[in-house]
Amino acid sequence: MKKTACYIHIPFCDHKCIYCDFYSIITSDNVQSFLDCLKKEIIHYSEKHSADRELISIFFGGGTPSLMEPDYISEILESIKTKFVVRNDAEITLETNPGTVTQEKLKMFRNAGINRISIGIQSFDNNDLRFLTRIHNSETAINTVNYAAEAGFENISLDLIFNLPGQSKKNWIKNLERAVKLPIKHISAYSLILERGTILNKMVLDGKVKIADADYDAELYQTTINFLTANGFYQYEVSNFTKLGFECIHNNAYWHYTDYFGFGTSAHSFIDGKRWWNFSSLKMYIDKMEQSGNAVAGSETISSAKAMDEYIMLELRSSGLNIKMFENRFGNEAKDWLKKKYPYFELLKNKNFVMVSDGIIKFTSRGYAICDEILAEIL
C-alpha cells in the first residue's frame, strides 16, 4: 500500500485577517452544498486511486474548519474512511481558531475522530492581536489550549508569528515563554510575510505600516531557535519545532515528497508524479463538481529534473537530505548532482551552515536562517 496524505480545505470564515492569503469566504451560504460536493470529490478520486493506497494523515485546513459543527466534520471523515483505507493510527488534524470553540465542542471534535489540534494563536499580546485583526484576545487563546488538553487532546500544536510591526525582541520572547508553559507538543513559528492581494500588503505599500528589515527578522528567527531548543523542542523544519515523537505526520508528507490528495476549494493534489489544483471560488467549485465530478482548474506532470529539484529543496528545508535515499530515488542523476555540488557543500560545512552526519546533509540553525539563499544557489 502506498502511503498518502489527505488535505481538506474548508473555506468558511467569520472574518478575514489582514495578513491572510488563503482562500476563505465570510458567509454561511452553500455550507451544505459544499459538503455534498466534497463527498462527490472524495468518491471521484477513490474510484481512481484507492485500491493501492493507505491514508496516513488527514488535515482539515482553511478558512476556519473549527467554525463547522462536529457532525459536519464527522460526516466528511466518515466519507473518507468509507472510500479509502485509513491507517488505524492516522494523524487527523483540525485547524482551530480561538473564539470558535468551547471545551464541549472540542470534546465533540475528538469524539468525531480528530486526534490533533492546531491552534492559530499568532500572538499572546493583545496589541498584536488587534493589529492582526484576530477575533480573540490573549486570555481566549490560553483558554483554548487548556480546553483542548482538558478535552483529551494530547497532540496540540500552536502557530505564532514574529517580526510584527513594532514587535520588540523582548515581547517576542514573552510570546515564546507563554507558549512553552502551555500543554502543547508542537509550535509553528513563522516570520510575517507580505502576500500580494492582502490588506496588510496594501497598508505597507501605502506607507501606513512599516515592516522591520531582514537583519532584524533573522535576529528574531535565531532567538526563536535558541529559545525553543533550550526548552525541550527540536527543530525539524524551517518553521517547525516539536517535542520528541510529535512531528506533524501530515506536513512531513509534504516535506518528504509523499503523495497527497487535496479535496475542496483551492486544494492541491500530488499523485504519481502529477500535480493538479482545484478552483478557488466556492461557486466555481460547486458548479464544476456538479457538472463533471471534479473541480480541477489546472494540472502539470512533473519532469524528472523538476522532481529532483523539488525533492532536494523540501528535504533540505526539513530534516535533511538523506544521501542513500536520494540516490535510490533518482539513481545516477542524484549521484552526478552530488558530485557536482560536493565543493559547495564543503564550503557550507566549513562556514557552519550545514552539517553532514550519518549520510544526511542538514542545515544548522545558521543555515536555516538563510536557507532560501542557499537553496537558490544550489538549485
Side-chain angles (χ1 to χ4, degrees):
M1 301 288 280
K2 194 167 185 178
K3 293 179 179 179
T4 308
C6 178
Y7 174 78
I8 311 289
H9 190 84
I10 307 292
F12 306 105
C13 259
D14 58 356
H15 169 74
K16 186 75 173 178
C17 296
I18 62 170
Y19 60 91
C20 179
D21 74 327
F22 293 108
Y23 177 68
S24 61
I25 49 174
I26 307 168
T27 178
S28 57
D29 294 343
N30 292 314
V31 169
Q32 184 58 45
S33 297
F34 176 72
L35 177 61
D36 294 340
C37 289
L38 197 57
K39 289 192 284 187
K40 286 180 183 178
E41 189 178 17
I42 290 165
I43 292 169
H44 174 80
Y45 287 107
S46 71
E47 290 173 347
K48 292 185 172 185
H49 299 290
S50 66
D52 61 343
R53 292 183 179 275
E54 177 185 53
L55 299 187
I56 59 173
S57 69
I58 301 170
F59 192 105
F60 289 88
T64 309
S66 56
L67 271 180
M68 300 296 98
E69 291 302 317
D71 285 347
Y72 191 94
I73 299 298
S74 179
E75 197 168 335
I76 298 169
L77 278 175
E78 186 60 32
S79 180
I80 293 171
K81 290 178 178 179
T82 300
K83 298 299 177 181
F84 287 91
V85 175
V86 179
R87 201 165 69 181
N88 289 334
D89 62 347
E91 175 190 271
I92 305 177
T93 301
L94 183 80
E95 283 189 343
T96 305
N97 281 345
T100 65
V101 290
T102 60
Q103 185 176 344
E104 184 58 32
K105 191 174 184 181
L106 285 163
K107 286 181 180 177
M108 293 169 71
F109 280 133
R110 188 166 180 270
N111 291 336
I114 303 298
N115 56 33
R116 182 176 184 271
I117 290 288
S118 178
I119 304 174
I121 288 173
Q122 316 313 351
S123 178
F124 292 102
D125 183 284
N126 285 330
N127 289 327
D128 289 344
L129 292 171
R130 281 190 288 271
F131 169 76
L132 293 170
T133 65
R134 301 294 286 172
I135 65 168
H136 66 274
N137 59 24
S138 179
E139 182 182 5
T140 305
I142 293 167
N143 288 341
T144 301
V145 177
N146 288 325
Y147 289 159
E150 290 162 9
F153 287 101
E154 182 184 10
N155 197 348
I156 302 172
S157 175
L158 56 83
D159 291 354
L160 295 174
I161 301 176
F162 61 87
N163 201 17
L164 297 173
Q167 184 182 57
S168 68
K169 184 176 178 180
K170 182 179 178 181
N171 281 349
W172 173 237
I173 292 174
K174 283 183 179 179
N175 269 300
L176 296 173
E177 288 173 341
R178 169 55 68 185
V180 299
K181 290 177 182 176
L182 292 170
I184 61 170
K185 296 295 193 295
H186 188 280
I187 295 176
S188 297
Y190 303 104
S191 171
L192 181 65
I193 297 174
L194 294 177
E195 301 286 1
R196 289 180 63 185
T198 62
I199 298 170
L200 178 59
N201 190 54
K202 187 175 188 308
M203 291 168 71
V204 171
L205 291 174
D206 291 345
K208 296 177 181 178
V209 171
K210 185 177 181 181
I211 303 295
D213 62 26
D215 288 341
Y216 185 66
D217 185 80
E219 182 182 348
L220 290 182
Y221 179 60
Q222 190 63 56
T223 297
T224 306
I225 295 172
N226 294 343
F227 182 92
L228 292 178
T229 53
N231 282 274
F233 291 80
Y234 83 89
Q235 186 176 20
Y236 72 108
E237 195 267 344
V238 171
S239 303
N240 287 271
F241 304 81
T242 185
K243 295 287 184 72
L244 189 63
F246 289 89
E247 301 85 351
C248 180
I249 292 171
H250 185 81
N251 286 342
N252 264 337
Y254 295 147
W255 299 327
H256 297 310
Y257 221 49
T258 303
D259 283 8
Y260 54 86
F261 291 108
F263 301 134
T265 49
S266 75
H268 285 58
S269 297
F270 177 59
I271 300 291
D272 293 334
K274 184 176 181 180
R275 185 176 288 123
W276 65 89
W277 48 94
N278 286 346
F279 286 98
S280 293
S281 160
L282 178 61
K283 183 180 185 305
M284 187 76 78
Y285 173 83
I286 291 172
D287 287 347
K288 292 294 183 181
M289 284 302 309
E290 290 176 345
Q291 291 169 14
S292 58
N294 72 75
V296 176
S299 65
E300 63 174 330
T301 300
I302 310 301
S303 68
S304 176
K306 184 172 183 177
M308 194 168 84
D309 277 356
E310 290 180 347
Y311 182 87
I312 293 164
M313 180 269 292
L314 290 166
E315 293 290 332
L316 285 174
R317 284 180 63 91
S318 53
S319 55
L321 183 65
N322 184 305
I323 294 171
K324 185 175 181 181
M325 291 175 64
F326 179 43
E327 291 178 345
N328 286 343
R329 184 159 189 157
F330 293 99
N332 289 332
E333 285 182 273
K335 292 177 181 178
D336 292 343
W337 186 87
L338 286 166
K339 185 177 180 180
K340 181 180 177 182
K341 298 296 180 181
Y342 177 81
Y344 185 59
F345 278 120
E346 280 295 300
L347 178 65
L348 293 173
K349 184 179 175 183
N350 291 336
K351 291 185 175 182
N352 194 30
F353 290 130
V354 303
M355 53 184 163
V356 182
S357 178
D358 298 324
I360 297 173
I361 303 170
K362 181 175 170 56
F363 281 128
T364 62
S365 61
R366 290 187 72 224
Y368 272 131
I370 60 167
C371 69
D372 289 342
E373 292 91 331
I374 293 173
L375 288 168
E377 182 69 28
I378 289 173
L379 301 176

